[in-house]
Amino acid sequence: MAKTNWRRLAVWSAFIALLLLIEFVPLLQRPLAPFMRASAYLEGGLYRVTNSARQRIERLIIGHDTSSRIVELESRLSLLTLHQARLVSLEEENQNLRRLLDFQESRGLSTIAARVIGKDPRAPAELRLAAGSRSGVRSGAAVISPNGALVGIVAEVGQETSVVRLLGHRLTQVPVRVLDKPQAFGLLESSGGLSLRLTQIPKNADIKPGDIIVTGFASEVVPANLTVGAILSVENDPQGLWQEATMAPLIEPAALDLVAIVIAL
């Protein structure tokens, strides 16, 4: 009987406590409401800050990787471009070598190929070549382009290199003639400009603009009939002893990278 009464008392006590809790909780929430709102605001702010920081870090990481990838791709593209340019240069060099060999065989000349290694702006009428006396180069030898045109005459010879005076050099003089006109001969000299000068042409020689000029009498290392250029204009002074003409060279020496030097006819 005592145990039953105790259980009833415990149940009623719990029921009364629940009622009191329901009644007083709203009253307790009022003074705590500002703290609860502050806590919720703080929690929301912390979430926004941490989320924003996370997004920024992700963007930085992704951006860094992307930037590194772009730099890597640009570097590879540059290497491929250089490689392609090198292949084009090698192909052009091979074609020039084939032309030189074909010209050598067709003319029965003994020549050596030489790279152009020096183009001094202070001496535009000269080229330095990577071939010298050890290769059989001699002073006065003709220097020929890949298509068989006369480039100039060797003026200085070292053991490993040589210097060629171009046709426009003030000291260059080459005996020449008009192609297919044996009586139309003269002397090629520099005019001090882009064109060249033909002097000492016989008065009775039939020459006109467009005529092709070739080397004249062969010397020990300058073959005859090398193409030199074409006549631009003719001057025939009735009072003069000779005719003169202006000539345009066939090749542009500044564009040359490979030439042939005649070492024997």
Side-chain angles (χ1 to χ4, degrees):
M1 183 69 178
K3 290 182 178 180
T4 302
N5 292 334
W6 176 254
R7 288 178 181 175
R8 289 179 179 176
L9 179 61
V11 170
W12 280 105
S13 297
F15 179 72
I16 293 171
L18 180 61
L19 292 176
L20 291 174
L21 181 62
I22 294 173
E23 181 67 23
F24 286 102
V25 162
L27 297 177
L28 292 174
Q29 286 180 340
R30 291 176 184 174
L32 294 177
F35 298 100
M36 295 175 66
R37 286 195 298 270
S39 176
Y41 180 81
L42 180 61
E43 182 180 355
L46 288 174
Y47 173 79
R48 288 191 295 271
V49 170
T50 54
N51 186 58
S52 176
R54 179 182 59 81
Q55 292 177 352
R56 289 184 180 182
I57 291 173
E58 289 178 352
R59 285 197 298 268
L60 286 174
I61 294 175
I62 294 174
H64 177 72
D65 290 343
T66 303
S67 177
S68 299
R69 183 60 175 168
I70 291 174
V71 171
E72 180 184 355
L73 291 175
E74 288 178 345
S75 178
R76 289 185 179 182
L77 179 60
S78 298
L79 290 176
L80 289 174
T81 302
L82 290 175
H83 183 63
Q84 178 66 21
R86 179 59 177 165
L87 289 177
V88 172
S89 177
L90 289 174
E91 176 61 25
E92 182 179 352
E93 182 175 316
N94 287 335
Q95 291 178 359
N96 288 335
L97 284 172
R98 285 194 292 269
R99 293 192 189 102
L100 288 173
L101 289 173
D102 291 342
F103 179 78
Q104 176 181 333
E105 292 177 357
S106 66
R107 297 292 299 271
L109 301 176
S110 178
T111 65
I112 59 169
R115 292 181 181 275
V116 177
I117 59 173
K119 300 175 182 177
D120 190 347
R122 296 170 298 180
E126 295 180 353
L127 294 178
R128 183 169 294 275
L129 309 179
S133 58
R134 289 185 177 179
S135 301
V137 179
R138 289 182 288 173
S139 179
V143 178
I144 305 171
S145 71
N147 61 1
L150 182 65
V151 174
I153 305 297
V154 174
E156 301 175 18
V157 182
Q159 290 186 346
E160 302 293 343
T161 63
S162 56
V163 175
V164 53
R165 288 176 183 164
L166 303 177
L167 299 180
H169 195 284
R170 61 183 180 84
L171 298 179
T172 299
Q173 290 185 333
V174 180
V176 295
R177 66 179 182 85
V178 178
L179 184 65
D180 297 329
K181 296 180 180 180
Q183 302 303 318
F185 53 85
L187 189 66
L188 174 66
E189 300 176 335
S190 172
S191 65
L194 297 177
S195 60
L196 302 172
R197 195 79 177 164
L198 299 180
T199 62
Q200 302 181 26
I201 305 171
K203 293 284 289 184
N204 61 349
D206 179 21
I207 60 174
K208 61 183 183 299
D211 283 346
I212 302 300
I213 304 300
V214 297
T215 53
F217 303 106
S219 65
E220 188 175 358
V221 282
V222 179
N225 300 320
L226 292 177
T227 306
V228 179
I231 291 179
L232 294 176
S233 61
V234 178
E235 299 175 11
N236 193 350
D237 185 357
Q239 305 300 321
L241 298 177
W242 311 94
Q243 293 187 82
E244 293 189 356
T246 301
M247 190 203 77
L250 185 64
I251 52 96
E252 174 53 53
L256 294 174
D257 293 316
L258 186 71
V259 296
I261 304 174
V262 177
I263 57 176
L265 301 184

